[in-house]
Amino acid sequence: MLNIVLFGPPGAGKGTQSTKLIDRYSLVHLSTGDIFRANIKGQTELGVLAKSFIDQGQLVPDEVTINMLSAEVKKNPNAKGFIFDGFPRTSAQAAALDALLESMNSSISLMLALEVEEEELKRRLLLRGKDSGRADDQDPAVIQKRIDVYNAETFPVRDYYLAQNKYKGVNGIGEVEAIFTALCDQIDAKANS
Ligand code: AMP
């Protein structure tokens, strides 16, 4: 299996690049943010719970997020591999993902990180908020909170994969196509190694 964690702060371009990568490599795309938003739309119990955190720019608790992600992985027993987009966001989530994949005799192949500086992230998120209708992209205070949470809780997850020699950083500023090529180069190098 080819299992990729697409990593980076809010607004780094994970969603855009995931869409392109799943086409190229025939992978299943699991975006925890998208799944939460679908639950909010469907007014499920999970959606109501998740909304209370998302609206404040906070992370949904680990236990809830890990259970949801595990269920989604198990819904795809024949997948060639997964792109995990927006997960793991904490060290506990990273450890849970390793345990889950190990139970399937699999593992993470690579963490690809989109590197974008903070001012550019804020600019992109406010721009996206105008089109997407996402409330959490429209309020500068919520955007700042999400970036702060990323720096405090999510950025350290990088070390988890660095220690396993699986971390690769890619410049996330520039043309979408050029960034996509850089990501594919990393994946192909890993697949051929
Ligand atoms: P995203 O679409 O990835 O920007 O996620 C939107 C929001 O969903 C985040 O700000 C969090 O509140 C929540 N969320 C998404 N993924 C996770 C996760 N792995 N752990 C906790 N909360 C998450």
Side-chain angles (χ1 to χ4, degrees):
M1 282 175 99
L2 179 62
N3 294 313
I4 294 168
V5 173
L6 195 55
F7 191 67
K14 300 187 295 293
T16 304
Q17 294 296 337
S18 290
T19 309
K20 297 174 74 65
L21 289 167
I22 53 168
D23 272 359
R24 167 75 61 100
Y25 295 98
S26 307
L27 303 172
V28 174
H29 180 205
L30 290 184
S31 157
T32 39
D34 284 353
I35 301 166
F36 284 136
R37 281 185 288 277
N39 275 275
I40 292 170
K41 208 171 167 196
Q43 295 178 320
T44 67
E45 202 178 321
L46 174 64
V48 172
L49 176 76
K51 189 174 182 331
S52 63
F53 293 94
I54 292 175
D55 282 352
Q56 295 181 50
Q58 289 173 347
L59 295 183
V60 178
D62 277 340
E63 199 191 339
V64 175
T65 306
I66 290 166
N67 286 341
M68 177 192 85
L69 191 276
S70 302
E72 292 295 325
V73 167
K74 287 173 186 159
K75 278 184 200 166
N76 293 279
N78 300 320
K80 282 177 63 181
F82 294 92
I83 292 197
F84 298 99
D85 163 4
F87 185 96
R89 262 174 154 100
T90 64
S91 302
Q93 292 180 16
L97 181 58
D98 268 0
L100 173 68
L101 293 175
E102 205 180 312
S103 75
M104 299 160 56
N105 289 321
S106 191
S107 61
I108 289 297
S109 316
L110 200 57
M111 167 180 266
L112 290 172
L114 290 168
E115 296 169 345
V116 178
E117 43 131 90
E118 195 167 315
E119 286 313 306
E120 172 68 6
L121 296 173
K122 290 182 194 166
R123 196 188 66 78
R124 287 186 188 180
L125 289 170
L126 282 170
L127 206 66
R128 185 171 75 183
K130 287 187 184 155
D131 299 328
S132 70
R134 273 181 64 171
D136 62 345
D137 283 345
Q138 292 175 22
D139 180 340
V142 174
I143 289 176
Q144 187 63 55
K145 175 74 183 166
R146 285 156 69 203
I147 293 174
D148 292 347
V149 166
Y150 173 82
N151 288 333
E153 296 185 53
T154 305
F155 186 71
V157 175
R158 173 182 186 266
D159 292 339
Y160 186 91
Y161 291 92
L162 264 176
Q164 296 182 24
N165 212 9
K166 291 179 176 173
Y167 177 91
K168 295 284 175 201
V170 166
N171 179 8
I173 297 187
E175 294 292 325
V176 169
E177 236 10 86
I179 299 166
F180 178 59
T181 302
L183 292 172
C184 292
D185 286 350
Q186 292 292 349
I187 295 172
D188 296 344
K190 181 75 188 182
N192 296 326
S193 68

